[in-house]
Amino acid sequence: MMKTLLHICLAMLLVACGDDQTTSAPPQVTPEVDAGTDVRVEPDVAPEQPVPRFLELNMEPGKAVYATQTRLLPAVTVFDINAEPIPEALFDVTVSPADAAVAVDDRWELKTQGEVTFTACALLPGADGAAVCGSDTVIVDNTPPIVTLTSPVPGQQLDIADLPVRVQGTVEDDHGDVRVFVDGVEVPVQNGTFEAVVSPRFGVNHVEVTATDQINPNTTISGIDYLFAPTYVAAGVTKPSFDLDDALIFWLGQRFVDDGTPAVRGPDGALVTRDLVDILNLVLLNVDLNSQISNPVLSSAGSSLNIDDIDIGKPFVDGSIVQGGIELYVQINDLLVSTRGGIEISGQSVNLAGSIEATMSAIVRLDVTKPANGPVAVTVSTLELAVEDASSNFASADANAVFTLAQSALRTTLEQILLDTVEDAFIDQVPALLQETLNSLDSALQGQTFALDLGLGTPLTLNLDARMTRLQTFRRNRLEAGLSGSTSVDVPRVQTQSRGVPSMGAASAQPFFQSSRIQIAIQQVFINGLLHTLWDAGILELNVTDQLPITAQNAVISAKIQPLMRPPLEGQDATLVLQLGQLELTIEVLGRRDVYGVNIETGVDFDLVDSSLALTFADVPRLRTWVISSTDGRPLLSPDALEGLLLTQVYPQLLAALSGGLSFALPVPSLTGLANVAPALSTFEIAFGLQREVALREGWIVVDATLDGSFQIRADFGFTTSKKLCTSHPSPTSHRGFESSSAQEVRCSFIWTKTTLFSSVNRPPNLSNRKTTANSSPKK
């Protein structure tokens, strides 16, 4: 018992003699026993207390950094000389600096920021008489540095006059050595301010500023989006709208008119045409010349002549773009005319039953003009028709002799009938077919409307209009049609402070591929003008209250910058990049208000779907978020929750609306007049295809397309095997490369090894017997 009293006295003496520079908590003591408690009588001699060797102190809960007002519990373990814990060992705890924490019951409440050291010492000394102590230093820091960006202003529109772009701001922190990084590069901090010069690119530029006090493990991340463009194009003033001359250009190359190769047969047996001349050749093959004949073609006293059938054989058509229009050369080498009747010569009747073989040629000059306020007009300015050679195979030798006379009235009459028939049935139809093709380019995008509804804001109707304002031809090179474009939404403007549509500068005058058939170029600035129109109409003013993972009174998204298409950077595999920024999400919950910044980038490619230009977006965008402000200091949404909201609830709706507004049908000519000229061509169809991937070239989005005509051939065209033209075919059931069968619609095959569909002989016409229109001049 005396030893126990001695230990207690020694402990009290140690407490009384403690360091005056520290604050200490009351030592742990053995609790008193209440009166009346049944206590077993202990022996007079108590066991000796183990001598402490070392002590471990850990302040709990364990964290890297604590905020003030946090209460920590000292967890102390005292070990003996055998490194075994001493149960119920007594110890004392002190803190330094003395005012950094105060004892509250069995815990310590942190009061100041900075490094705070807690020290615990066993009440019994060690074997050498020295105190046995352990310490734990904690870091107290309420918040990381506070960064405020002062320039540029969020959403600010800058141009080349604003270079260089200086990122400026202030940083505040109660203690610590503050370091600031702008886009990953450290910048000096002087008196709480910093500045960095950055090099902007065209489009939405995101600046990320990070700051650390090297104490708090949390790094402050702040951001800002601004817009940079060398110039801006004015947008609508009274309503969201944008107008641009030459917003689109249709480029029809020489290979669109004539690529020098005949039509081919597709895998399914259909005839595939790839240029205008192929179509005209197909028309000429299938035109019903017989319907143009009014029998008898010659009737007088004792004489009559009927033409029972005209077979055009294998025609050849050649076409060239010339200054101001298109010039066609038509050659018919195997014209076969079946005749019957008789003619009276010197009182004797001569039999005209038999046939006439002839060759014909024509030169047709088509003038293509576009009046300022009217449709495209195609007129024949030059027409030269000639029967170059003709021979008869009448039953009567006398009739053949009469026909061979150069000035024979019979020959002259027949030649004139053939010329008139070909002109009326074919040549007179060509201007209408070409005119329909060109006018389809003019009318396809006129008066288009697109309903856009994200389901998170006000539904909008986008008006899109594009119409031809110029039409130019360049000899043996191209025919070029420029279209002005306009977009509008009939609602009041939302973004009244916008400088206009960002532009990279004047687009190239010739962004086209020179070896193509047909190309459609859309100015990049026109696409951005359309996006500006939608933004100005409020398409990105969204209410997402119901989409939040938390209950909020109000949650809205607002775009400080218009959506923008910019060229991809190195390593970005896309035609264009769509940028959305600076989107600001504001959430209000129970009097607190949090504002988040959002920047989204996604790759954009173009494709042809059912002859429509459609947009496809990358599945996963690049997403950057940051906290702009929070009244509570701690944002309501975690980064994961915020990204989940954007990727699942907002991003898909945005893409659906934008892709709907930027996708439109290309002007595929219907050529409805073909069936009127040649009823067998009623199944002829035309569709666009892609020659190569859609490309961004010098300020233009260029679609290099093919224009393929497809025609399912009938086996019952009315051909017979009795024509002299067919006698060279080894098969008695074939004619002009088609297989004959019963009068039912089937798919036919071409006998390419035996015959060709079109003639490839291009010999200059002999126009000695030409027929020339009144407004033409002979071709030299």
Side-chain angles (χ1 to χ4, degrees):
M1 182 66 71
M2 290 297 296
K3 288 182 179 181
T4 301
L5 292 175
L6 182 60
H7 285 312
I8 293 174
C9 292
L10 179 59
M12 294 176 64
L13 182 61
L14 287 173
V15 172
C17 299
D19 190 353
D20 294 338
Q21 300 302 313
T22 62
T23 301
S24 62
Q28 293 186 352
V29 296
T30 304
E32 297 181 358
V33 180
D34 293 339
T37 304
D38 184 11
V39 180
R40 182 176 297 177
V41 177
E42 299 290 340
D44 292 341
V45 179
E48 185 175 351
Q49 183 77 17
V51 176
R53 180 182 177 186
F54 63 93
L55 179 150
E56 288 186 352
L57 169 63
N58 292 293
M59 304 302 291
E60 296 181 348
K63 294 174 62 177
V65 176
Y66 301 88
T68 56
Q69 310 305 316
T70 303
R71 294 186 179 184
L72 305 181
L73 176 67
V76 178
T77 304
V78 182
F79 297 87
D80 61 17
I81 57 175
N82 297 318
E84 295 291 336
I86 302 175
E88 300 181 357
L90 301 178
F91 59 87
D92 182 38
V93 179
T94 59
V95 62
S96 178
D99 61 348
V102 297
V104 179
D105 297 328
D106 60 344
R107 298 176 183 268
W108 290 87
E109 183 176 295
L110 300 173
K111 292 298 184 181
T112 62
Q113 298 184 77
E115 290 188 356
V116 179
T117 301
F118 292 90
T119 303
C121 294
L123 294 185
L124 291 180
D128 57 357
V132 177
C133 301
S135 64
D136 187 12
T137 299
V138 300
I139 297 175
V140 184
D141 193 66
N142 288 332
T143 61
I146 299 174
V147 174
T148 303
L149 292 174
T150 57
S151 179
V153 176
Q156 188 173 357
Q157 295 174 303
L158 305 178
D159 62 19
I160 55 176
D162 300 306
L163 296 177
V165 176
R166 301 182 184 276
V167 178
Q168 299 173 323
T170 61
V171 59
E172 300 177 28
D173 194 75
D174 292 339
H175 66 289
D177 184 11
V178 177
R179 300 176 68 187
V180 175
F181 299 81
V182 176
D183 289 339
V185 179
E186 187 171 5
V187 297
V189 178
Q190 296 181 346
N191 299 322
T193 64
F194 62 88
E195 178 180 287
V197 176
V198 296
S199 299
R201 298 186 179 94
F202 172 79
V204 178
N205 287 259
H206 178 73
V207 175
E208 185 174 271
V209 178
T210 59
T212 175
D213 57 14
Q214 304 186 77
I215 295 177
N216 196 300
N218 296 320
T219 299
T220 298
I221 300 177
S222 186
I224 188 174
D225 287 347
Y226 67 93
L227 184 60
F228 175 80
T231 61
Y232 292 85
V233 182
V237 176
T238 59
K239 68 177 181 180
S241 61
F242 183 68
D243 300 303
L244 185 68
D245 291 335
D246 269 3
L248 296 90
I249 294 179
F250 288 112
W251 187 97
L252 305 178
Q254 171 62 36
R255 296 183 69 231
F256 167 77
V257 175
D258 187 3
D259 63 5
T261 60
V264 297
R265 179 172 62 93
D268 61 351
L271 184 66
V272 178
T273 63
R274 290 196 169 91
D275 58 32
L276 184 62
V277 160
D278 283 351
I279 298 174
L280 296 179
N281 221 334
L282 190 62
V283 171
L284 191 55
L285 266 173
N286 293 279
V287 68
D288 186 6
L289 295 177
N290 293 325
S291 64
Q292 303 296 319
I293 302 297
S294 179
N295 284 314
V297 296
L298 177 63
S299 179
S300 62
S303 302
S304 68
L305 176 64
N306 287 268
I307 295 179
D308 291 337
D309 186 67
I310 300 178
D311 190 329
I312 206 167
K314 295 179 291 183
F316 172 81
V317 181
D318 176 80
S320 296
I321 297 175
V322 296
Q323 200 70 32
I326 294 176
E327 189 172 83
L328 300 174
Y329 167 54
V330 182
Q331 188 171 20
I332 303 172
N333 295 320
D334 304 299
L335 187 67
L336 184 63
V337 182
S338 298
T339 62
R340 61 183 171 85
I343 185 172
E344 187 174 323
I345 301 176
S346 301
Q348 293 195 10
S349 178
V350 178
N351 189 1
L352 296 180
S355 63
I356 298 172
E357 295 180 50
T359 59
M360 291 183 61
S361 60
I363 291 179
V364 185
R365 164 64 188 253
L366 303 173
D367 286 346
V368 181
T369 58
K370 174 64 176 72
N373 297 307
V376 175
V378 179
T379 57
V380 177
S381 63
T382 300
L383 172 58
E384 300 176 8
L385 280 170
V387 174
E388 299 178 358
D389 187 26
S391 61
S392 63
N393 293 287
F394 296 129
S396 169
D398 291 336
N400 290 327
V402 171
F403 185 83
T404 56
L405 294 176
Q407 302 300 321
S408 167
L410 176 59
R411 176 177 179 138
T412 302
T413 300
L414 285 171
E415 288 181 349
Q416 190 62 49
I417 291 172
L418 294 177
L419 294 173
D420 291 343
T421 300
V422 172
E423 180 182 358
D424 295 342
F426 173 70
I427 294 177
D428 284 354
Q429 311 301 321
V430 171
L433 294 176
L434 180 59
Q435 187 166 298
E436 180 182 352
T437 300
L438 296 177
N439 276 324
S440 68
L441 307 181
D442 187 18
S443 60
L445 298 178
Q446 291 185 15
Q448 300 291 308
T449 60
F450 303 89
L452 307 176
D453 186 3
L454 276 66
L456 304 172
T458 303
L460 301 173
T461 298
L462 173 67
N463 305 309
L464 173 65
D465 190 89
R467 55 193 64 212
M468 194 182 300
T469 54
R470 65 176 178 87
L471 185 63
Q472 296 172 278
T473 54
F474 301 85
R475 182 175 178 81
R476 297 199 64 82
N477 186 281
R478 69 188 185 279
L479 185 150
E480 188 175 297
L483 282 74
S484 64
S486 65
T487 64
S488 65
V489 179
D490 295 327
V491 297
R493 293 187 62 198
V494 173
Q495 310 293 342
T496 56
Q497 301 303 314
S498 171
R499 294 179 63 177
V501 179
S503 171
M504 298 182 70
S508 169
Q510 281 299 315
F512 301 103
F513 301 98
Q514 293 303 311
S515 61
S516 300
R517 299 173 186 270
I518 179 170
Q519 297 176 76
I520 301 171
I522 308 170
Q523 278 208 60
Q524 178 187 343
V525 71
F526 183 65
I527 297 294
N528 283 330
L530 187 152
L531 293 173
H532 186 281
T533 298
L534 295 175
W535 172 66
D536 200 7
I539 196 171
L540 294 181
E541 304 300 312
L542 310 174
N543 190 311
V544 294
T545 306
D546 295 337
Q547 281 68 39
L548 289 183
I550 59 175
T551 301
Q553 280 71 52
N554 192 37
V556 295
I557 290 178
S558 180
K560 296 293 184 182
I561 303 176
Q562 72 159 89
L564 182 78
M565 293 281 194
R566 66 155 173 80
L569 303 178
E570 184 176 354
Q572 291 182 319
D573 186 17
T575 305
L576 287 169
V577 174
L578 172 65
Q579 296 183 293
L580 297 170
Q582 174 168 323
L583 299 175
E584 293 189 1
L585 169 62
T586 302
I587 303 176
E588 296 178 351
V589 178
L590 299 176
R592 66 175 293 173
R593 187 173 184 268
D594 288 354
V595 183
Y596 305 85
V598 180
N599 178 286
I600 301 176
E601 284 189 0
T602 185
V604 180
D605 287 305
F606 295 81
D607 201 358
L608 279 182
V609 180
D610 296 331
S611 294
S612 292
L613 187 63
L615 275 71
T616 57
F617 297 92
D619 294 333
V620 180
R622 180 182 181 183
L623 184 66
R624 288 174 284 202
T625 62
W626 65 97
V627 178
I628 296 176
S629 63
S630 176
T631 55
D632 191 72
R634 298 179 181 179
L636 286 165
L637 294 182
S638 66
D640 289 343
L642 180 56
E643 290 188 10
L645 166 68
L646 295 169
L647 292 178
T648 62
Q649 303 295 326
V650 178
Y651 180 70
Q653 288 87 333
L654 284 174
L655 295 192
L658 294 178
S659 62
L662 293 173
S663 301
F664 48 83
L666 297 180
V668 179
S670 61
L671 294 182
T672 54
L674 283 180
N676 298 328
V677 179
L681 300 182
S682 59
T683 61
F684 188 81
E685 295 179 350
I686 287 182
F688 274 115
L690 277 183
Q691 181 74 17
R692 52 170 62 90
E693 291 185 354
V694 177
L696 180 66
R697 291 170 61 88
E698 303 179 70
W700 296 85
I701 301 165
V702 180
V703 182
D704 184 8
T706 60
L707 192 64
D708 296 336
S710 178
F711 173 53
Q712 294 294 341
I713 305 168
R714 294 174 58 93
D716 59 335
F717 279 156
F719 305 139
T720 66
T721 59
S722 62
K723 305 291 178 66
K724 184 176 180 180
L725 177 64
C726 305
T727 56
S728 62
H729 293 268
S731 172
T733 59
S734 66
H735 178 72
R736 294 200 306 183
F738 303 110
E739 293 182 15
S740 297
S741 65
S742 59
Q744 57 181 346
E745 183 161 353
V746 295
R747 291 185 177 180
C748 308
S749 61
F750 297 94
I751 309 175
W752 296 102
T753 58
K754 300 176 182 178
T755 184
T756 56
L757 186 62
F758 303 135
S759 171
S760 59
V761 178
N762 185 6
R763 52 181 177 161
N766 176 2
L767 299 177
S768 58
N769 294 327
R770 66 175 174 262
K771 173 185 175 183
T772 306
T773 57
N775 61 339
S776 68
S777 57
K779 180 177 177 65
K780 297 181 180 180

